[in-house]
Amino acid sequence: MAANTAKGAGNKDTRTITFKSKEHKDFYKEYLQKCRYQDVYHKALVYCLGIGQDTRVNVNRIYDFKTGCVKTECLREGWQTSGSAKIVRMAFNLYCNGTPSVYDTEDAEEQLKEFRCYTVEDLFCCGYARYFWEAVKLRYPEYCFYVDMEDLYA
């Protein structure tokens, strides 16, 4: 009698992560180990911060690996480009479940302006969209890889 190959098939995680480059992949492997936890929050954070060279080089200006706190003031530093700022905001959003840099000012107009930088349209309308989607899948695997049992028997 042939072995039932379907028996452990559901237990195997065959998902692969798409990386922008070898440097991105190497960064992810190295810096995820530096995090206090290797949970979905940290996976999404480190994945995002590894996308661009500027964010890889300045990772310690963006995130404190000892305390687990984001450093929102990095968004106002001279090394930031429009692309690196998108990467940082996406990373912060997935890690913090919010828009932490909005509270760096008390001015309502400035807060609103910063808040708009976290919208899906503002973040995803760029060349990093493919990688941002990968970060979303890392952060929310239970929704992105959900299998509806009714669909299996349809």
Side-chain angles (χ1 to χ4, degrees), residues 82-97:
S82 61
S84 65
K86 285 180 187 282
I87 291 171
V88 170
R89 286 186 178 101
M90 185 68 174
F92 285 176
N93 192 312
L94 293 172
Y95 182 71
C96 299
N97 287 324

Side-chain angles (χ1 to χ4, degrees), residues 59-105:
V59 67
N60 292 310
R61 300 179 74 82
I62 302 168
Y63 180 72
D64 187 325
F65 287 89
K66 290 179 186 164
T67 66
C69 294
V70 296
K71 300 177 179 180
T72 56
E73 63 275 7
C74 75
L75 286 165
R76 295 182 305 279
E77 293 180 357
W79 61 268
Q80 287 281 9
T81 64
S82 61
S84 65
K86 285 180 187 282
I87 291 171
V88 170
R89 286 186 178 101
M90 185 68 174
F92 285 176
N93 192 312
L94 293 172
Y95 182 71
C96 299
N97 287 324
T99 57
S101 57
V102 168
Y103 306 107
D104 286 351
T105 181

Side-chain angles (χ1 to χ4, degrees), residues 38-139:
Q38 278 74 53
D39 58 11
V40 294
Y41 299 93
H42 290 87
K43 287 178 181 180
L45 173 81
V46 172
Y47 178 88
C48 280
L49 296 181
I51 293 171
Q53 181 180 353
D54 289 334
T55 50
R56 287 192 301 268
V57 168
N58 292 289
V59 67
N60 292 310
R61 300 179 74 82
I62 302 168
Y63 180 72
D64 187 325
F65 287 89
K66 290 179 186 164
T67 66
C69 294
V70 296
K71 300 177 179 180
T72 56
E73 63 275 7
C74 75
L75 286 165
R76 295 182 305 279
E77 293 180 357
W79 61 268
Q80 287 281 9
T81 64
S82 61
S84 65
K86 285 180 187 282
I87 291 171
V88 170
R89 286 186 178 101
M90 185 68 174
F92 285 176
N93 192 312
L94 293 172
Y95 182 71
C96 299
N97 287 324
T99 57
S101 57
V102 168
Y103 306 107
D104 286 351
T105 181
E106 292 183 19
D107 180 68
E109 287 296 320
E110 288 298 315
Q111 285 181 335
L112 187 56
K113 183 179 174 185
E114 180 64 15
F115 185 75
R116 287 184 183 132
C117 292
Y118 283 89
T119 63
V120 172
E121 180 179 22
D122 195 74
L123 290 175
F124 275 84
C125 290
C126 71
Y128 299 128
R130 174 182 184 181
Y131 307 106
F132 289 169
W133 176 241
E134 282 295 316
V136 169
K137 291 190 296 185
L138 285 168
R139 175 62 183 83

